[in-house]
Every structure is written in C-alpha cells, then in structure tokens.
Amino acid sequence: SQHVKFELPNLDQRISLFKYHIPQEVKTTDLDFKVLAQNSDQCSGGDIKVICEEAMVQACVEAETLNQAILKPEHLLNEIKK
C-alpha cells in the first residue's frame, strides 16, 4: 500500500484558511488572524475548518439570538486547544 504524505499549511496558508472559513457576515471582535495561525501550527486545513465551525457554534450558544452572536478570539483559541 502507498502512503501519501501531506504537508501541514504554513503560517500564511493558515491565515488564509481562517479568513476563508469565517464568513464575512459573521460578527467578530478583535480577531487577529496571525495569532490564530501561530497557535494552530499542528493543524491541517480540515482541522482549521472544524475549528471555525465549532467556534461559531459556541458563539451562537452564548448569544441570546443568532443576530447577537459574536465570534471572539477565545472561541477559536479554545477550539484550537482541543
């Protein structure tokens, strides 16, 4: 059987992935994409997608209504640590 090795995304690629997976219409506060990328050096592109999705769910859970949901850095950093 053959094994295919995939390289993990570099810092700039992780920044782009976070920007891509957090939709423009999502309300955010104080997001520093470079800090997120620096803290996710062992994450694949798929990992970053899941981190963003789970963080947005957490922001929605904390808000009283969907319109009041605000994605904060700690939502994402908590998911990165998992």
Side-chain angles (χ1 to χ4, degrees):
S1 83
Q2 290 186 344
H3 294 279
V4 178
K5 183 174 180 169
F6 290 96
E7 295 293 322
L8 292 174
N10 66 30
L11 182 72
D12 289 335
Q13 292 167 332
R14 292 192 307 276
I15 290 170
S16 295
L17 285 162
F18 276 107
K19 288 180 178 178
Y20 178 80
H21 288 297
I22 299 172
Q24 294 273 326
E25 59 271 11
V26 173
K27 294 177 191 164
T28 61
T29 181
D30 299 326
L31 287 191
D32 183 333
F33 291 103
K34 187 172 183 181
V35 170
L36 295 172
Q38 289 169 333
N39 280 278
S40 58
D41 60 319
Q42 295 300 307
C43 294
S44 68
D47 294 332
I48 291 172
K49 178 178 188 253
V50 171
I51 287 165
C52 293
E53 290 170 350
E54 293 296 321
M56 287 185 280
V57 168
Q58 189 58 43
C60 291
V61 167
E62 289 178 9
E64 288 186 28
T65 68
L66 193 55
N67 288 340
Q68 292 176 325
I70 298 174
L71 183 62
K72 299 175 186 167
E74 55 265 29
H75 294 131
L76 292 151
L77 293 170
N78 288 341
E79 291 301 323
I80 290 170
K81 291 176 190 171
K82 288 185 179 179

